[in-house]
Amino acid sequence: MVNFKPQFYILKEAILKIQDNFRQLYGKEPFTVAGPGRINLIGEHTDYNSGFVLPAAVDKSIYAAIAKNGSNTINVFANQFGEKASFEINEATPRTGWLNYLIGVTYYVQQTGEQIEGVDVIIDGDIPVGAGMSSSAALCSAYGFALNELFSLGFSRMELAVIGQKTEHNFVGLQCGIMDQFASLHGKKGHAMKLDCRSLEYEYIPFDFPDYKIALVNTMVSHSLAGTEYNVRRQQCEEGVALLKKHYPSIKSLRDVTYEQLTRHWKEFNATIYDRCSFIVNENQRLLAGCEALRQNDLSGFGEMMYASHKGLSKRYDVSCKELDFLVEKAKTIASVAGARMMGGGFGGCSINIVHRDAIENFSTEIIHAYSKQFNITPEIYVMQLEEGVSLV
Ligand code: GLA
């Protein structure tokens, strides 16, 4: 279950396969783009509150092989699902499933006034779908980047991230922040990125702990609440901001709120809204402290913050689930783990664990055994490398 196959073999195989499929299906030579998935070390649900996040691009990607076809039609084959679809370049109406990401990106690219023509595309990938590693953002990034190159559109990586985010909002219905799209496009080998989601300024922070590895444990569950509850959280945060704004008119988002301001007015809050707001205010502080800990090489301090982040996500923000809580509780009992927490939107997907490299095998065995016994589901474990953002391959 543990992914120990050297990454360059996997990459090469995946690329050769998609290029070969492309030649067979469309009878011409494509160029190929890899859009990585992401992890997030700390700073969850803070992006749509104009706060900070600390993601990194990883060595699992969505691949897009693409070539112009001289028409106004976009033909796509999704290898992972064995599904084929076509749409016109001026299509503006969402359909269903993975196709919406391509329709949306095509639409928003043209909304800027840029012109494109029809293309033939194959998409494939090794990011597990529904695991909270942002396969959808990786798809938007890879496809947007490919169009950008093919038609020399001149979009910056940040502009492509915004196109991906708008697609998610209006063609898929998830009112997400910018973290996932940003991370897929801006990754740097061996580094995480501290992104200020208000100004969109970012800095690369080395994750330089040669004795430690980042291991994701996939719960293999994806509770159906994920989409709807995500948007509800966003509204709840806005409700909190509206209340505090009455006292502090300069507040624009929870990013601007101090813990003192929040606690001073707690009696005016509905208990749930208060919990949501207090998590976000604390999580932003944790992120800033966490970045400092990383700079000081204090991995155990950083690990403590990961556990505190998880507790807040579970108890106050209420986006965890029994499977994720179990994995984090179990990780706490394993001495080789420096820190663990749920990762991403929640309600399933992966936990992120920082594990001593000599203990990866034991960690995996112990986690797989305990989780399978508890839930009768075998979890998958991915040992991640931090990688470059979207690129031509
Ligand atoms: C999802 C969203 C991101 C972010 C995370 C939670 O991945 O797409 O924008 O809000 O959840 O941190």
Side-chain angles (χ1 to χ4, degrees):
M1 277 308 142
V2 191
N3 163 17
F4 284 132
K5 202 169 178 188
Q7 190 56 28
F8 63 94
Y9 283 127
I10 297 174
L11 201 68
K12 228 172 143 194
E13 275 169 28
I15 289 160
L16 291 177
K17 180 175 147 225
I18 193 172
Q19 291 177 339
D20 205 42
N21 290 345
F22 194 95
R23 282 181 211 108
Q24 280 176 28
L25 189 63
Y26 300 117
K28 57 191 160 194
E29 206 51 44
F31 78 78
T32 313
V33 170
R38 63 104 187 89
I39 55 157
N40 186 25
L41 288 170
I42 199 161
E44 219 62 87
H45 288 271
T46 41
D47 59 353
Y48 55 83
N49 286 298
S50 303
F52 297 94
V53 289
L54 191 60
V58 293
D59 54 343
K60 282 189 182 294
S61 295
I62 296 290
Y63 306 103
I66 188 164
K68 293 182 189 175
N69 65 17
S71 77
N72 281 331
T73 307
I74 306 221
N75 303 306
V76 199
F77 183 72
N79 253 350
Q80 274 172 304
F81 308 114
E83 289 170 17
K84 205 173 174 177
S86 294
F87 60 95
E88 295 304 296
I89 53 171
N90 60 4
E91 185 145 341
T93 322
R95 295 201 211 162
T96 52
W98 57 268
L99 191 61
N100 277 338
Y101 296 105
L102 296 139
I103 301 179
V105 170
T106 309
Y107 175 79
Y108 284 113
V109 159
Q110 294 174 102
Q111 280 296 297
T112 64
E114 295 294 340
Q115 304 223 316
I116 58 167
E117 297 157 31
V119 286
D120 295 329
V121 193
I122 296 190
I123 51 177
D124 203 351
D126 51 20
I127 306 177
V129 175
M133 294 174 68
S134 299
S135 55
S136 47
L139 172 57
C140 291
S141 307
Y143 177 63
F145 189 88
L147 290 181
N148 201 31
E149 292 293 310
L150 205 55
F151 297 103
S152 305
L153 303 176
F155 289 117
S156 69
R157 285 177 181 255
M158 199 62 93
E159 286 168 332
L160 291 173
V162 172
I163 285 173
Q165 186 193 25
K166 281 188 190 159
T167 297
E168 192 81 55
H169 283 189
N170 301 319
F171 279 74
V172 182
L174 190 78
Q175 298 302 309
C176 64
I178 191 82
M179 170 170 76
D180 304 349
Q181 296 77 8
F182 164 82
S184 180
L185 281 144
H186 294 83
K188 182 170 169 181
K189 201 172 178 55
H191 290 72
M193 295 161 280
K194 178 186 166 201
L195 172 69
D196 178 335
C197 298
R198 171 172 281 161
S199 67
L200 297 184
E201 282 166 10
Y202 58 97
E203 85 184 91
Y204 289 106
I205 302 200
F207 188 82
D208 191 15
F209 298 98
D211 288 341
Y212 281 83
K213 299 260 180 215
I214 295 172
L216 304 186
V217 183
N218 189 348
T219 58
M220 313 302 278
V221 300
S222 175
H223 296 294
S224 56
L225 286 174
T228 48
E229 283 297 308
Y230 185 95
N231 291 348
V232 169
R233 290 298 171 283
R234 197 168 175 148
Q235 282 162 14
Q236 290 170 330
C237 292
E238 281 162 16
E239 222 177 286
V241 170
L243 195 155
L244 288 163
K245 224 179 166 46
K246 290 187 201 145
H247 301 285
Y248 312 99
S250 64
I251 286 175
K252 291 197 182 64
S253 74
L254 290 178
R255 148 79 176 273
D256 305 315
V257 176
T258 65
Y259 201 66
E260 290 65 41
Q261 289 171 329
L262 185 65
T263 46
R264 197 175 303 145
H265 297 283
W266 71 271
K267 280 189 181 158
E268 299 163 45
F269 277 83
N270 149 311
T272 305
I273 305 293
Y274 185 80
D275 276 351
R276 306 297 188 250
C277 294
S278 79
F279 166 74
I280 297 294
V281 171
N282 283 326
E283 184 74 351
N284 262 322
Q285 290 309 317
R286 264 192 295 271
L287 184 136
L288 297 174
C291 289
E292 210 33 55
L294 289 183
R295 284 196 195 96
Q296 308 287 328
N297 257 352
D298 176 11
L299 195 57
S300 89
F302 187 78
E304 286 310 314
M305 286 172 221
M306 290 177 80
Y307 286 125
S309 167
H310 182 81
K311 192 171 167 200
L313 285 159
S314 177
K315 305 278 182 264
R316 289 192 173 252
Y317 214 63
D318 203 15
V319 290
S320 185
C321 58
K322 61 181 188 310
E323 293 86 354
L324 285 165
D325 288 347
F326 179 88
L327 285 177
V328 174
E329 280 312 308
K330 183 70 198 163
K332 267 187 200 160
T333 67
I334 303 177
S336 57
V337 179
R341 59 180 204 85
M342 59 152 274
M343 187 187 78
F347 304 105
C350 291
S351 69
I352 174 168
N353 305 261
I354 301 187
V355 185
H356 197 281
R357 63 172 185 184
D358 297 340
I360 287 280
E361 282 281 14
N362 287 345
F363 166 81
S364 306
T365 313
E366 216 172 310
I367 286 280
I368 290 171
H369 176 75
Y371 189 84
S372 315
K373 195 165 157 215
Q374 183 77 11
F375 297 108
N376 212 12
I377 302 172
T378 309
E380 287 182 0
I381 297 184
Y382 320 117
V383 179
M384 306 309 314
Q385 310 279 354
L386 309 190
E387 285 298 338
E388 296 292 315
V390 178
S391 60
L392 282 176
V393 291

PDB file of all heavy atoms in Angstrom, residues 14 28 32 48 54 96 108 157-158 178 181 229 273 275 283 295 305 312 317 338 387:
ATOM      1  N   ALA A  14       3.952   7.417 -16.920  1.00  0.00           N
ATOM      2  CA  ALA A  14       2.685   8.120 -17.110  1.00  0.00           C
ATOM      3  C   ALA A  14       2.743   9.000 -18.346  1.00  0.00           C
ATOM      4  O   ALA A  14       1.782   9.059 -19.122  1.00  0.00           O
ATOM      5  CB  ALA A  14       2.384   8.964 -15.873  1.00  0.00           C
ATOM      6  N   LYS A  28      -1.646  12.413 -34.069  1.00  0.00           N
ATOM      7  CA  LYS A  28      -0.625  13.473 -34.160  1.00  0.00           C
ATOM      8  C   LYS A  28       0.152  13.569 -32.867  1.00  0.00           C
ATOM      9  O   LYS A  28      -0.164  12.905 -31.884  1.00  0.00           O
ATOM     10  CB  LYS A  28      -1.276  14.810 -34.534  1.00  0.00           C
ATOM     11  CG  LYS A  28      -2.354  15.251 -33.581  1.00  0.00           C
ATOM     12  CD  LYS A  28      -3.147  16.433 -34.145  1.00  0.00           C
ATOM     13  CE  LYS A  28      -4.476  16.515 -33.433  1.00  0.00           C
ATOM     14  NZ  LYS A  28      -5.451  17.355 -34.049  1.00  0.00           N
ATOM     15  N   THR A  32       2.845  18.043 -23.775  1.00  0.00           N
ATOM     16  CA  THR A  32       2.286  17.487 -22.549  1.00  0.00           C
ATOM     17  C   THR A  32       2.653  18.344 -21.354  1.00  0.00           C
ATOM     18  O   THR A  32       3.779  18.811 -21.238  1.00  0.00           O
ATOM     19  CB  THR A  32       2.822  16.054 -22.346  1.00  0.00           C
ATOM     20  OG1 THR A  32       2.696  15.363 -23.577  1.00  0.00           O
ATOM     21  CG2 THR A  32       2.063  15.305 -21.267  1.00  0.00           C
ATOM     22  N   TYR A  48     -10.104  31.528   2.176  1.00  0.00           N
ATOM     23  CA  TYR A  48     -11.278  32.351   1.819  1.00  0.00           C
ATOM     24  C   TYR A  48     -11.615  33.348   2.925  1.00  0.00           C
ATOM     25  O   TYR A  48     -12.600  34.067   2.830  1.00  0.00           O
ATOM     26  CB  TYR A  48     -12.479  31.474   1.450  1.00  0.00           C
ATOM     27  CG  TYR A  48     -12.887  30.462   2.494  1.00  0.00           C
ATOM     28  CD1 TYR A  48     -13.705  30.823   3.557  1.00  0.00           C
ATOM     29  CD2 TYR A  48     -12.455  29.143   2.412  1.00  0.00           C
ATOM     30  CE1 TYR A  48     -14.087  29.890   4.511  1.00  0.00           C
ATOM     31  CE2 TYR A  48     -12.819  28.208   3.357  1.00  0.00           C
ATOM     32  CZ  TYR A  48     -13.638  28.588   4.403  1.00  0.00           C
ATOM     33  OH  TYR A  48     -14.017  27.664   5.350  1.00  0.00           O
ATOM     34  N   LEU A  54      -0.048  27.527   3.919  1.00  0.00           N
ATOM     35  CA  LEU A  54       1.333  27.044   3.743  1.00  0.00           C
ATOM     36  C   LEU A  54       1.347  25.744   2.924  1.00  0.00           C
ATOM     37  O   LEU A  54       1.735  24.683   3.407  1.00  0.00           O
ATOM     38  CB  LEU A  54       1.968  26.826   5.126  1.00  0.00           C
ATOM     39  CG  LEU A  54       3.472  26.577   5.173  1.00  0.00           C
ATOM     40  CD1 LEU A  54       4.270  27.727   4.580  1.00  0.00           C
ATOM     41  CD2 LEU A  54       3.914  26.319   6.615  1.00  0.00           C
ATOM     42  N   THR A  96     -21.653  18.232 -16.395  1.00  0.00           N
ATOM     43  CA  THR A  96     -21.447  17.486 -15.133  1.00  0.00           C
ATOM     44  C   THR A  96     -19.994  17.015 -15.029  1.00  0.00           C
ATOM     45  O   THR A  96     -19.281  16.942 -16.028  1.00  0.00           O
ATOM     46  CB  THR A  96     -22.330  16.208 -15.080  1.00  0.00           C
ATOM     47  OG1 THR A  96     -22.101  15.482 -16.282  1.00  0.00           O
ATOM     48  CG2 THR A  96     -23.790  16.544 -14.908  1.00  0.00           C
ATOM     49  N   TYR A 108     -13.340  31.074 -19.094  1.00  0.00           N
ATOM     50  CA  TYR A 108     -12.715  32.231 -18.434  1.00  0.00           C
ATOM     51  C   TYR A 108     -11.463  32.725 -19.157  1.00  0.00           C
ATOM     52  O   TYR A 108     -11.154  33.909 -19.107  1.00  0.00           O
ATOM     53  CB  TYR A 108     -12.429  31.932 -16.957  1.00  0.00           C
ATOM     54  CG  TYR A 108     -13.708  32.002 -16.157  1.00  0.00           C
ATOM     55  CD1 TYR A 108     -14.261  30.884 -15.572  1.00  0.00           C
ATOM     56  CD2 TYR A 108     -14.389  33.212 -16.054  1.00  0.00           C
ATOM     57  CE1 TYR A 108     -15.459  30.953 -14.880  1.00  0.00           C
ATOM     58  CE2 TYR A 108     -15.588  33.299 -15.364  1.00  0.00           C
ATOM     59  CZ  TYR A 108     -16.114  32.167 -14.781  1.00  0.00           C
ATOM     60  OH  TYR A 108     -17.305  32.249 -14.119  1.00  0.00           O
ATOM     61  N   ARG A 157       1.176  32.990 -13.975  1.00  0.00           N
ATOM     62  CA  ARG A 157       0.718  31.815 -13.216  1.00  0.00           C
ATOM     63  C   ARG A 157      -0.410  32.213 -12.254  1.00  0.00           C
ATOM     64  O   ARG A 157      -1.346  31.447 -12.033  1.00  0.00           O
ATOM     65  CB  ARG A 157       1.884  31.183 -12.467  1.00  0.00           C
ATOM     66  CG  ARG A 157       2.797  30.416 -13.417  1.00  0.00           C
ATOM     67  CD  ARG A 157       4.014  29.837 -12.743  1.00  0.00           C
ATOM     68  NE  ARG A 157       4.821  29.145 -13.739  1.00  0.00           N
ATOM     69  CZ  ARG A 157       4.908  27.821 -13.874  1.00  0.00           C
ATOM     70  NH1 ARG A 157       4.277  27.031 -13.030  1.00  0.00           N
ATOM     71  NH2 ARG A 157       5.632  27.277 -14.822  1.00  0.00           N
ATOM     72  N   MET A 158      -0.304  33.406 -11.680  1.00  0.00           N
ATOM     73  CA  MET A 158      -1.345  33.827 -10.744  1.00  0.00           C
ATOM     74  C   MET A 158      -2.671  34.037 -11.488  1.00  0.00           C
ATOM     75  O   MET A 158      -3.734  33.703 -10.982  1.00  0.00           O
ATOM     76  CB  MET A 158      -0.910  35.102 -10.013  1.00  0.00           C
ATOM     77  CG  MET A 158      -1.662  35.372  -8.747  1.00  0.00           C
ATOM     78  SD  MET A 158      -1.455  34.078  -7.487  1.00  0.00           S
ATOM     79  CE  MET A 158      -0.084  34.719  -6.543  1.00  0.00           C
ATOM     80  N   ILE A 178      -8.116  30.395  -2.865  1.00  0.00           N
ATOM     81  CA  ILE A 178      -7.173  30.337  -3.997  1.00  0.00           C
ATOM     82  C   ILE A 178      -6.028  29.346  -3.754  1.00  0.00           C
ATOM     83  O   ILE A 178      -5.214  29.093  -4.632  1.00  0.00           O
ATOM     84  CB  ILE A 178      -6.607  31.758  -4.271  1.00  0.00           C
ATOM     85  CG1 ILE A 178      -5.810  31.873  -5.585  1.00  0.00           C
ATOM     86  CG2 ILE A 178      -5.732  32.241  -3.097  1.00  0.00           C
ATOM     87  CD1 ILE A 178      -6.641  32.053  -6.781  1.00  0.00           C
ATOM     88  N   GLN A 181      -5.248  26.154  -6.382  1.00  0.00           N
ATOM     89  CA  GLN A 181      -4.816  26.562  -7.724  1.00  0.00           C
ATOM     90  C   GLN A 181      -3.447  27.238  -7.642  1.00  0.00           C
ATOM     91  O   GLN A 181      -2.563  26.995  -8.474  1.00  0.00           O
ATOM     92  CB  GLN A 181      -5.836  27.532  -8.338  1.00  0.00           C
ATOM     93  CG  GLN A 181      -7.218  26.950  -8.577  1.00  0.00           C
ATOM     94  CD  GLN A 181      -8.067  26.827  -7.316  1.00  0.00           C
ATOM     95  OE1 GLN A 181      -7.706  27.311  -6.238  1.00  0.00           O
ATOM     96  NE2 GLN A 181      -9.212  26.180  -7.449  1.00  0.00           N
ATOM     97  N   GLU A 229     -21.249  21.668   2.998  1.00  0.00           N
ATOM     98  CA  GLU A 229     -20.770  22.201   4.274  1.00  0.00           C
ATOM     99  C   GLU A 229     -19.641  23.204   4.081  1.00  0.00           C
ATOM    100  O   GLU A 229     -19.480  24.128   4.862  1.00  0.00           O
ATOM    101  CB  GLU A 229     -20.317  21.064   5.194  1.00  0.00           C
ATOM    102  CG  GLU A 229     -21.454  20.328   5.847  1.00  0.00           C
ATOM    103  CD  GLU A 229     -22.295  21.208   6.774  1.00  0.00           C
ATOM    104  OE1 GLU A 229     -21.723  21.870   7.642  1.00  0.00           O
ATOM    105  OE2 GLU A 229     -23.522  21.231   6.604  1.00  0.00           O
ATOM    106  N   ILE A 273     -21.332  30.100  15.374  1.00  0.00           N
ATOM    107  CA  ILE A 273     -20.592  31.124  14.620  1.00  0.00           C
ATOM    108  C   ILE A 273     -19.336  31.527  15.396  1.00  0.00           C
ATOM    109  O   ILE A 273     -18.256  31.717  14.818  1.00  0.00           O
ATOM    110  CB  ILE A 273     -21.467  32.384  14.354  1.00  0.00           C
ATOM    111  CG1 ILE A 273     -22.774  31.995  13.653  1.00  0.00           C
ATOM    112  CG2 ILE A 273     -20.700  33.439  13.555  1.00  0.00           C
ATOM    113  CD1 ILE A 273     -22.618  31.477  12.252  1.00  0.00           C
ATOM    114  N   ASP A 275     -17.594  29.659  17.438  1.00  0.00           N
ATOM    115  CA  ASP A 275     -16.604  28.577  17.275  1.00  0.00           C
ATOM    116  C   ASP A 275     -15.887  28.671  15.929  1.00  0.00           C
ATOM    117  O   ASP A 275     -14.673  28.514  15.843  1.00  0.00           O
ATOM    118  CB  ASP A 275     -17.295  27.213  17.357  1.00  0.00           C
ATOM    119  CG  ASP A 275     -17.455  26.769  18.803  1.00  0.00           C
ATOM    120  OD1 ASP A 275     -16.889  27.428  19.698  1.00  0.00           O
ATOM    121  OD2 ASP A 275     -18.161  25.765  19.032  1.00  0.00           O
ATOM    122  N   GLU A 283      -6.152  29.868  13.824  1.00  0.00           N
ATOM    123  CA  GLU A 283      -5.401  29.153  12.778  1.00  0.00           C
ATOM    124  C   GLU A 283      -4.447  30.102  12.050  1.00  0.00           C
ATOM    125  O   GLU A 283      -3.330  29.736  11.708  1.00  0.00           O
ATOM    126  CB  GLU A 283      -6.383  28.489  11.799  1.00  0.00           C
ATOM    127  CG  GLU A 283      -5.752  27.630  10.707  1.00  0.00           C
ATOM    128  CD  GLU A 283      -5.206  26.269  11.182  1.00  0.00           C
ATOM    129  OE1 GLU A 283      -5.147  26.013  12.400  1.00  0.00           O
ATOM    130  OE2 GLU A 283      -4.813  25.476  10.309  1.00  0.00           O
ATOM    131  N   ARG A 295      11.397  28.092  10.267  1.00  0.00           N
ATOM    132  CA  ARG A 295      12.639  28.862  10.040  1.00  0.00           C
ATOM    133  C   ARG A 295      13.676  28.564  11.120  1.00  0.00           C
ATOM    134  O   ARG A 295      14.866  28.587  10.867  1.00  0.00           O
ATOM    135  CB  ARG A 295      12.324  30.360  10.034  1.00  0.00           C
ATOM    136  CG  ARG A 295      11.663  30.804   8.758  1.00  0.00           C
ATOM    137  CD  ARG A 295      11.723  32.315   8.625  1.00  0.00           C
ATOM    138  NE  ARG A 295      10.810  32.760   7.605  1.00  0.00           N
ATOM    139  CZ  ARG A 295       9.578  33.202   7.829  1.00  0.00           C
ATOM    140  NH1 ARG A 295       9.123  33.276   9.066  1.00  0.00           N
ATOM    141  NH2 ARG A 295       8.795  33.564   6.836  1.00  0.00           N
ATOM    142  N   MET A 305       1.781  22.453  16.675  1.00  0.00           N
ATOM    143  CA  MET A 305       0.800  23.333  16.026  1.00  0.00           C
ATOM    144  C   MET A 305      -0.097  22.548  15.073  1.00  0.00           C
ATOM    145  O   MET A 305      -1.269  22.858  14.912  1.00  0.00           O
ATOM    146  CB  MET A 305       1.506  24.465  15.306  1.00  0.00           C
ATOM    147  CG  MET A 305       2.024  25.487  16.291  1.00  0.00           C
ATOM    148  SD  MET A 305       3.038  26.687  15.478  1.00  0.00           S
ATOM    149  CE  MET A 305       4.339  26.858  16.658  1.00  0.00           C
ATOM    150  N   GLY A 312      -8.768  22.081  16.461  1.00  0.00           N
ATOM    151  CA  GLY A 312      -9.664  23.177  16.103  1.00  0.00           C
ATOM    152  C   GLY A 312     -10.561  22.810  14.925  1.00  0.00           C
ATOM    153  O   GLY A 312     -11.767  23.087  14.922  1.00  0.00           O
ATOM    154  N   TYR A 317     -14.342  23.947  14.141  1.00  0.00           N
ATOM    155  CA  TYR A 317     -14.752  24.225  12.763  1.00  0.00           C
ATOM    156  C   TYR A 317     -15.626  23.098  12.211  1.00  0.00           C
ATOM    157  O   TYR A 317     -16.315  23.261  11.217  1.00  0.00           O
ATOM    158  CB  TYR A 317     -13.513  24.468  11.886  1.00  0.00           C
ATOM    159  CG  TYR A 317     -13.764  25.498  10.807  1.00  0.00           C
ATOM    160  CD1 TYR A 317     -14.073  26.810  11.141  1.00  0.00           C
ATOM    161  CD2 TYR A 317     -13.720  25.161   9.466  1.00  0.00           C
ATOM    162  CE1 TYR A 317     -14.325  27.760  10.156  1.00  0.00           C
ATOM    163  CE2 TYR A 317     -13.962  26.101   8.467  1.00  0.00           C
ATOM    164  CZ  TYR A 317     -14.270  27.404   8.826  1.00  0.00           C
ATOM    165  OH  TYR A 317     -14.526  28.338   7.851  1.00  0.00           O
ATOM    166  N   ALA A 338       6.229  13.505  14.130  1.00  0.00           N
ATOM    167  CA  ALA A 338       6.460  14.832  14.739  1.00  0.00           C
ATOM    168  C   ALA A 338       5.169  15.628  14.823  1.00  0.00           C
ATOM    169  O   ALA A 338       5.020  16.502  15.678  1.00  0.00           O
ATOM    170  CB  ALA A 338       7.493  15.592  13.919  1.00  0.00           C
ATOM    171  N   GLU A 387       7.509  19.477  -4.924  1.00  0.00           N
ATOM    172  CA  GLU A 387       7.960  19.614  -6.312  1.00  0.00           C
ATOM    173  C   GLU A 387       7.670  20.978  -6.927  1.00  0.00           C
ATOM    174  O   GLU A 387       7.011  21.806  -6.321  1.00  0.00           O
ATOM    175  CB  GLU A 387       7.274  18.527  -7.164  1.00  0.00           C
ATOM    176  CG  GLU A 387       7.847  17.147  -6.971  1.00  0.00           C
ATOM    177  CD  GLU A 387       9.318  17.043  -7.376  1.00  0.00           C
ATOM    178  OE1 GLU A 387       9.790  17.874  -8.167  1.00  0.00           O
ATOM    179  OE2 GLU A 387      10.012  16.135  -6.884  1.00  0.00           O
TER     180      GLU A 387
END
